[in-house]
Amino acid sequence: PAGNGAGIATPVGLTLDGVSLVDNHADGSGGGSSSGGSSPMTVAGGTFSGNSAGACGGAISSRGLSVTDATITDNQAGACGGAIRATPSMTITNSSDTANTTAGTGSANDARDLTATGTDISGNSSGGRGGGIAVTGTATLTSSTVTGNHAGDDGGGAWAEHLVATDTTFSANTSAGQGGGASARTASILRSTLTANQAAQDGGGVQVDQLVTLTNSTVTENTAGTSGGGFSSRYDATLVHATVTANTAIAAGVPANVDAPDLSTTASVLADPGGPATINCGDPATSGGHNWADDPSCGLTGAGDVQAPTGDPGLGPTADNGGPTATRYPTARSPLVNAIPNSSCSAMVTTDQRGTARPYPTAGACDVGAVARTPLTGEARPAGRLRRGPGPPRGTARPVGLGGP
């Protein structure tokens, strides 16, 4: 029908408990439901599917919104909020927000501020910025997944003024602009993984205008059409116990892993850059010590830094190694293991990306990067650097099962 809220329309706040709204269409906003006034809408359970709006909010348009344990899928809007348009803010918890489409420049989920916890935001698309999320204020994501979204502009997975991500995965998102995984003015990323994202321009994993901080986080196998396959920042970037590896920049002469004019890095690994230039950094970094890089492009000169060594960092593939996100686990012979003396372990970073205690054991050394190697079943953690021996004589069977993964 003409107007807003084809399924349910109310000028005041609304509570929907276990209600499903399916295959409704509004020429205005709120294909499934629309509410106004100063009271927010509350959704507990239920399914919003196949709804559409000519303007904003294919499933829901509301003045403030709280969603818990709901499924919001396969909705579409002509202008903004293929799934949800909420002003000023929305909270979504333990829900599924998938396969929603916005034909216009808005996102699948539009708000000033958004908080998502334990939520799957995947397979959404937008003609503009923010394939899964677009907020003009702060997007706070905790224990969530942002996967397989597409933006016709910046921010394949998410676009925000300020992005705060904890225990969250950004994977396989794509953007026609900058920031395959996410694009923001500032970003604080903790115990999170950005992998297999692609941007047509800068910042395959994430692109920021001002400052990005990555702590106990993994940025791997992302691709940028221009520079900064892992991430790019126009100004500052800070790495603390980060793993930034195997990212690719397609353009010639640009850094593949990190593109930031003012990079500060501590206890982090930068390795295996891909693309024509095959360099990790575009500018020399300020080192807090105990970094490991496989080329000299980052200009690391701090205490305990290892730069352009022979060999590789000895990381396993991106996989489930425990914890809320996929990680790259150091092999037993990795040079990252036990590389930081106990006296130099950070008092501020007492766990790794998985939540495992760091150092392990308490009196032991610390490992470089996002993940600390801990003993697997039947395996002892190496007491120090392992050096390869001369090996068995030719023709001797080599023992199997040594060294762990």
Side-chain angles (χ1 to χ4, degrees), residues 245-305:
T245 63
N247 298 288
T248 299
I250 301 301
V254 297
N257 277 326
V258 180
D259 184 6
D262 191 355
L263 172 66
S264 174
T265 179
T266 302
S268 296
V269 53
L270 299 105
D272 195 20
T278 61
I279 56 174
N280 285 305
C281 299
D283 296 278
T286 299
S287 173
H290 302 288
N291 299 285
W292 196 100
D294 62 0
D295 75 2
S297 64
C298 301
L300 301 172
T301 59
D305 284 345

Side-chain angles (χ1 to χ4, degrees), residues 16-17 36 46 93 108 163 167 180 235 262 267 333 343 378 391:
L16 300 177
D17 190 347
T93 305
L163 173 66
D167 296 329
Y235 294 99
D262 191 355
R333 292 183 172 86
S343 59

Side-chain angles (χ1 to χ4, degrees), residues 137-149:
T138 300
T140 303
L141 308 177
T142 306
S143 302
S144 295
T145 57
V146 182
T147 302
N149 302 284

Side-chain angles (χ1 to χ4, degrees), residues 16-393:
L16 300 177
D17 190 347
V19 174
S20 292
L21 295 172
V22 179
D23 294 338
N24 299 284
H25 173 77
D27 291 341
S29 294
S33 64
S34 174
S35 70
S38 58
S39 299
M41 178 187 290
T42 300
V43 175
T47 297
F48 291 71
S49 176
N51 301 289
S52 60
C56 296
I60 299 171
S61 177
S62 174
R63 295 285 295 177
L65 177 66
S66 174
V67 177
T68 305
D69 299 323
T71 298
I72 303 169
T73 186
D74 196 28
N75 303 283
Q76 58 183 329
C80 63
I84 297 169
R85 168 62 172 169
T87 56
S89 62
M90 64 177 286
T91 299
I92 182 166
T93 305
N94 298 335
S95 295
S96 176
D97 189 332
T98 65
N100 301 288
T101 303
T102 305
T105 58
S107 175
N109 297 280
D110 277 291
R112 187 188 67 192
D113 298 304
L114 177 147
T115 300
T117 304
T119 292
D120 174 26
I121 301 169
S122 64
N124 301 289
S125 64
S126 166
R129 60 193 186 188
I133 296 167
V135 299
T136 55
T138 300
T140 303
L141 308 177
T142 306
S143 302
S144 295
T145 57
V146 182
T147 302
N149 302 284
H150 173 74
D153 200 334
D154 297 341
W159 181 91
E161 185 77 1
H162 307 290
L163 173 66
V164 180
T166 304
D167 296 329
T168 291
T169 296
F170 293 82
S171 66
N173 300 288
T174 58
S175 75
Q178 303 180 102
S183 179
R185 185 173 297 277
T186 68
S188 176
I189 299 172
L190 174 65
R191 297 193 306 270
S192 296
T193 291
L194 296 98
T195 184
N197 301 287
Q198 297 183 29
Q201 299 176 19
D202 293 348
V206 61
Q207 178 272 331
V208 298
D209 290 337
Q210 293 183 354
L211 169 66
V212 58
T213 300
L214 294 108
T215 305
N216 269 346
S217 293
T218 299
V219 183
T220 188
E221 298 167 334
N222 302 284
T223 302
T226 50
S227 185
F231 68 88
S232 67
S233 172
R234 294 181 182 178
Y235 294 99
D236 301 336
T238 299
L239 303 178
V240 180
H241 276 291
T243 295
V244 185
T245 63
N247 298 288
T248 299
I250 301 301
V254 297
N257 277 326
V258 180
D259 184 6
D262 191 355
L263 172 66
S264 174
T265 179
T266 302
S268 296
V269 53
L270 299 105
D272 195 20
T278 61
I279 56 174
N280 285 305
C281 299
D283 296 278
T286 299
S287 173
H290 302 288
N291 299 285
W292 196 100
D294 62 0
D295 75 2
S297 64
C298 301
L300 301 172
T301 59
D305 284 345
V306 175
Q307 187 166 258
T310 300
D312 62 61
L315 294 170
T318 306
D320 180 1
N321 296 301
T325 56
T327 53
R328 301 195 64 174
Y329 190 68
T331 63
R333 292 183 172 86
S334 169
L336 310 178
V337 177
N338 290 332
I340 306 174
N342 183 271
S343 59
S344 297
C345 292
S346 172
M348 302 299 292
V349 182
T350 57
T351 66
D352 72 354
Q353 182 172 341
R354 303 168 300 159
T356 300
R358 191 198 292 269
Y360 182 89
T362 304
C366 285
D367 299 350
V368 175
V371 179
R373 183 176 175 83
T374 52
L376 303 178
T377 302
E379 177 189 52
R381 177 183 169 91
R385 299 290 184 86
L386 296 181
R387 298 185 182 276
R388 192 180 300 277

